[in-house]
Amino acid sequence: VRPGVCYGLLPEEDVMHAIKWLVMGGVVLGLVSCSGAKYRDVRAAINRQADATEEFTARMEKADSAREAAAAVDDYSDRLENIQAQARKLKEKYAGVDLQNAPELKAENERAEQAAMKFAGVFMKATLKYGRDPEFQAAMKRWQQTMREMGNP
């Protein structure tokens, strides 16, 4: 294994890029939101992202095979694609609103960030454990594409 590469499948920079976008996904949703019923849709979207990341992390921790891990990655990619579509709509809906540090969204943004940090450790372990499996590799390639698209809306 080359330093910074997990079995040639996942360059370290891709993992860091993905983590950055998971955290920033919550921030982006937070950027286009504010408190109150008027922005309930954004608060819900941030929570859906955190839910997806937490559920993925739990599934990966329990995975006993490459097949289970690949299924978790595929399901997570599906959820991220839905989140991405919603984030684009919210960004358009609330264009020009800059509330990155809105105290009203602090709890949601912190939750999304905590989920992303836990994701990082679990994800790296799974990649090292199952990285040579073709089914897992295929799921990872799809996930990487999804993350690239999230970074380039």
Side-chain angles (χ1 to χ4, degrees):
V1 176
R2 296 186 325 252
V5 178
C6 297
Y7 301 113
L9 172 68
L10 191 65
E12 186 175 319
E13 63 195 40
D14 280 357
V15 172
M16 297 313 294
H17 179 77
I19 292 167
K20 178 179 89 172
W21 285 110
L22 285 172
V23 172
M24 291 307 293
V27 173
V28 166
L29 291 173
L31 285 173
V32 297
S33 68
C34 68
S35 67
K38 183 176 179 181
Y39 298 101
R40 191 175 316 187
D41 51 352
V42 178
R43 189 177 305 273
I46 294 170
N47 285 323
R48 270 194 295 282
Q49 177 186 350
D51 289 344
T53 303
E54 290 167 352
E55 289 168 19
F56 169 77
T57 300
R59 282 185 69 186
M60 290 299 277
E61 287 176 326
K62 294 176 185 175
D64 289 328
S65 68
R67 175 166 280 156
E68 288 178 14
V73 172
D74 281 333
D75 290 347
Y76 188 53
S77 294
D78 289 341
R79 291 181 78 177
L80 290 178
E81 288 169 359
N82 291 331
I83 289 167
Q84 177 187 18
Q86 183 182 27
R88 285 180 180 153
K89 289 177 185 176
L90 291 172
K91 189 173 182 178
E92 289 175 17
K93 181 177 178 179
Y94 300 111
V97 177
D98 184 5
L99 297 172
Q100 181 176 7
N101 297 310
E104 299 88 350
L105 295 171
K106 184 176 180 180
E108 287 83 3
N109 286 326
E110 284 179 359
R111 178 178 173 221
E113 186 174 341
Q114 290 290 328
M117 297 313 287
K118 186 171 181 184
F119 160 91
V122 170
F123 189 78
M124 289 300 289
K125 285 180 188 176
T127 301
L128 289 170
K129 188 173 182 179
Y130 304 118
R132 294 179 192 250
D133 180 85
E135 188 174 357
F136 185 78
Q137 289 175 356
M140 289 300 301
K141 286 180 183 179
R142 177 174 174 234
W143 176 80
Q144 288 172 325
Q145 181 61 38
T146 301
M147 294 310 297
R148 279 188 206 94
E149 290 170 7
M150 286 184 80
N152 300 308

